[in-house]
Amino acid sequence: MKKKNILAITLIFVLLFLSTTGVAASETGRTLKYADRGEDVVKLQQTLNQMGYYNYYIDGIYGKITERAVINFQIDHNIRIDGIAGTQTQSTLYSIPNTISSRGTTTRGTATTKNYDSNDIYWLARIIHAEAQAEPYEGKVAIGNVILNRVNSSAFPNTIYNVIFEYYGNIPQFSPVADGTIYNTPSPESIQAAKDAINGARPVGNATYFFNPNKAAGSWIVKNKAYVTRIGRHVFYQ
């Protein structure tokens, strides 16, 4: 009789365990990875957006930007870094209170007022590489300097990503956005230049504009802005 009771109790515990596990599994859903699509990807993007990791279209497509957002989340939360939203990543992500994250706030008008993260460094390095791949190191840092000056100016968007992808009408502010080279992998030197700019290196001071006179006339900039300096092929204005 005692053996039957013990078996019955054991069976109940097993059933309860399986039930609980099933609920947990249903909350996280399938493993999400590059090229996946669906409502669960929309949910993932929305949550990452609310936490400050994803700043792009919420389209339900697990592309490179979503993958990068997942990687940054994994880095910040000491999860296996693979860019895949598996059980551990989703469980951690969805267990955090659904509030807007303050991963970095900006006070406009000063040079170093934002707490930049790995995603910011990544995008800053990309625009540096795209605009100044063949420029001297100082010229690379100078591009980062300009982008950060725009972030800290009330005349421009207040994030690195949004500065890079700003449009006037249908025309992007930076040619690498138009020709797609913004998505090229940045060199180690460009990444280091981004870090140096974020850490306060300012070879062009308060400059918020630059152009290559060999490729563009820059007429509006020349007429309306003050010349700062020339580094390599680029001239800088504020």
Side-chain angles (χ1 to χ4, degrees), residues 27-33 44 62 70 73-74 79-80 82-94:
E27 288 177 351
T28 58
R30 62 170 173 151
T31 294
L32 301 175
K33 60 187 181 302
L44 177 72
Y62 202 116
V70 169
F73 176 82
Q74 290 170 334
I79 301 170
R80 179 182 175 183
D82 56 10
I84 297 172
T87 301
Q88 184 186 23
T89 296
Q90 291 188 49
S91 296
T92 304
L93 181 67
Y94 297 137

Side-chain angles (χ1 to χ4, degrees), residues 71-81 88 92:
I71 288 172
N72 289 333
F73 176 82
Q74 290 170 334
I75 290 171
D76 287 349
H77 292 82
N78 297 315
I79 301 170
R80 179 182 175 183
I81 304 167
Q88 184 186 23
T92 304

Side-chain angles (χ1 to χ4, degrees), residues 23-211:
V23 170
S26 66
E27 288 177 351
T28 58
R30 62 170 173 151
T31 294
L32 301 175
K33 60 187 181 302
Y34 182 75
D36 283 344
R37 297 171 179 241
E39 290 301 315
D40 45 2
V41 178
V42 170
K43 179 184 176 183
L44 177 72
Q45 291 173 332
Q46 288 174 335
T47 307
L48 289 168
N49 175 265
Q50 290 169 347
M51 297 183 68
Y53 289 94
Y54 182 81
N55 299 292
Y56 199 61
Y57 299 114
I58 296 174
D59 54 9
I61 302 172
Y62 202 116
K64 287 294 183 184
I65 297 176
T66 303
E67 184 179 63
R68 170 52 55 179
V70 169
I71 288 172
N72 289 333
F73 176 82
Q74 290 170 334
I75 290 171
D76 287 349
H77 292 82
N78 297 315
I79 301 170
R80 179 182 175 183
I81 304 167
D82 56 10
I84 297 172
T87 301
Q88 184 186 23
T89 296
Q90 291 188 49
S91 296
T92 304
L93 181 67
Y94 297 137
S95 67
I96 296 172
N98 188 24
T99 57
I100 303 299
S101 172
S102 56
R103 300 186 72 218
T105 57
T106 303
T107 303
R108 309 303 289 272
T110 56
T112 55
T113 54
K114 181 177 172 67
N115 295 319
Y116 295 104
D117 58 31
S118 57
N119 197 48
D120 294 313
I121 295 172
Y122 178 74
W123 282 108
L124 188 59
R126 272 189 157 180
I127 189 65
I128 289 171
H129 184 76
E131 289 281 8
Q133 182 177 359
E135 295 297 303
Y137 186 74
E138 185 183 24
K140 290 180 172 65
V141 178
I143 300 301
N145 185 175
V146 168
I147 299 298
L148 296 178
N149 285 343
R150 288 194 174 200
V151 170
N152 289 307
S153 168
S154 59
F156 300 95
N158 66 353
T159 69
I160 289 172
Y161 181 90
N162 288 338
V163 163
I164 293 170
F165 287 93
E166 184 181 18
Y167 278 70
Y168 281 172
N170 294 320
I171 302 173
Q173 283 289 284
F174 297 99
S175 58
V177 174
D179 62 27
T181 56
I182 185 63
Y183 297 106
N184 291 347
T185 301
S187 66
E189 189 173 60
S190 293
I191 294 171
Q192 186 58 52
K195 292 178 180 178
D196 284 348
I198 282 174
N199 287 332
R202 307 184 75 230
V204 292
N206 294 319
T208 48
Y209 294 87
F210 68 90
F211 67 94

Side-chain angles (χ1 to χ4, degrees), residues 4-17:
K4 290 183 179 180
N5 288 338
I6 291 171
L7 286 172
I9 293 170
T10 302
L11 180 60
I12 290 170
F13 276 116
V14 169
L15 291 172
L16 286 172
F17 174 77

